[in-house]
Amino acid sequence: MVVPPSNPWEVTLVAGQFIFGDNNEFASTGDLSTDPMIFDEQLIVKYNFTKDVSVTLAPGFMAESAGHLTGLRNTLPFTDESAVAGVNPLPAITGETRALHILTAPGDISFKLAGLKSKIYWDFAYNVSGRDRFDNVYQLKSFGSRDFKPRDGLAWLVGLQLGETKKKGDWQFYVNYRESGIASVDPNLNDSDFALSALNTRGFKIGLAYALNDFVVLNATGYITWNLDNDLFGGRATSVGGIAPYNASNEVQLDVNIKF
């Protein structure tokens, strides 16, 4: 009896529609009464060369509908409550999720190195509406320092991971470098730890994890970050409620993760 070879390809299509906020449809009109929505589609293609070596590519597209955001409590929330309340001298903006139409292309190459499951990984995001967001949502053309640059709409990273923490005694090390243009991704959905949640940033994330047992993992993470563009100021970048207020930041973070 001849056993046919298994198919090395794995192909998955995923899509989702998510409610980002809930506004009162009868309180007002336009962005103030519209619920912001997120629409996400991704095609995941994996090719297995062997049981230990594979390549994964996952191109996708994410779009957000324009709506007003309130009550966010992340590190640097981008809402316009300060302008509505008269705290921020800039003109009020109600469609904080406007002009976000993002092409994404994450992926990885997985392999074993010295017996450890490892991978080289990357991520890529480009907001095709970045200029509109830079000019009209963040108001950087009228109240800022310069015009839009292509890298303002681009975010990317590349990294290396060694090991995994599946069971007691496992350890994992990873390091990545990334750049995040100010108009590339939604500031309310980006990595809230990297660069203290700010955009217009670049730098390194370095982590080490150890599994005390099968369900408790200790993590130590370091962040070394600085400005992507030192000439960017004004508008929604560095004014009150801005999303790019820091020149640089260095952080160390310790976590205990319990799986149950």
Side-chain angles (χ1 to χ4, degrees), residues 104-118:
T104 59
D108 67 66
I109 301 172
S110 297
F111 52 93
K112 274 196 172 181
L113 185 63
L116 296 173
K117 284 190 175 181
S118 306

Side-chain angles (χ1 to χ4, degrees), residues 81 103 140 175 238 254:
E81 295 174 83
L103 296 170
L140 282 161
V175 57
T238 56
L254 302 175

Side-chain angles (χ1 to χ4, degrees), residues 206-217:
I206 305 168
L208 182 64
Y210 179 76
L212 291 179
N213 51 47
D214 293 350
F215 57 90
V216 178
V217 179

Side-chain angles (χ1 to χ4, degrees), residues 52-53 110-119 160-164 170-171:
D52 296 323
V53 181
S110 297
F111 52 93
K112 274 196 172 181
L113 185 63
L116 296 173
K117 284 190 175 181
S118 306
K119 63 181 178 181
L160 171 67
Q161 176 182 311
L162 304 175
E164 60 179 0
D170 285 349
W171 62 272

Side-chain angles (χ1 to χ4, degrees), residues 71-93:
L72 301 182
R73 294 291 180 266
N74 50 315
T75 307
L76 286 176
F78 179 61
T79 68
D80 211 36
E81 295 174 83
S82 60
V84 173
V87 176
N88 196 322
L90 297 172
I93 294 293

Side-chain angles (χ1 to χ4, degrees), residues 8 12-13 22 33 48-49 51 68 72 84-85 98 114 128 154 156 158 177 182-183 187 206 209 214 222 228 232 241:
T12 306
L13 177 64
D22 185 15
S33 63
N48 299 288
F49 292 95
K51 67 182 182 68
H68 185 46
L72 301 182
V84 173
R98 185 183 307 280
V128 297
L154 175 65
W156 62 273
V158 61
Y177 173 83
I182 192 168
I206 305 168
D214 293 350
L228 180 61
L232 185 62

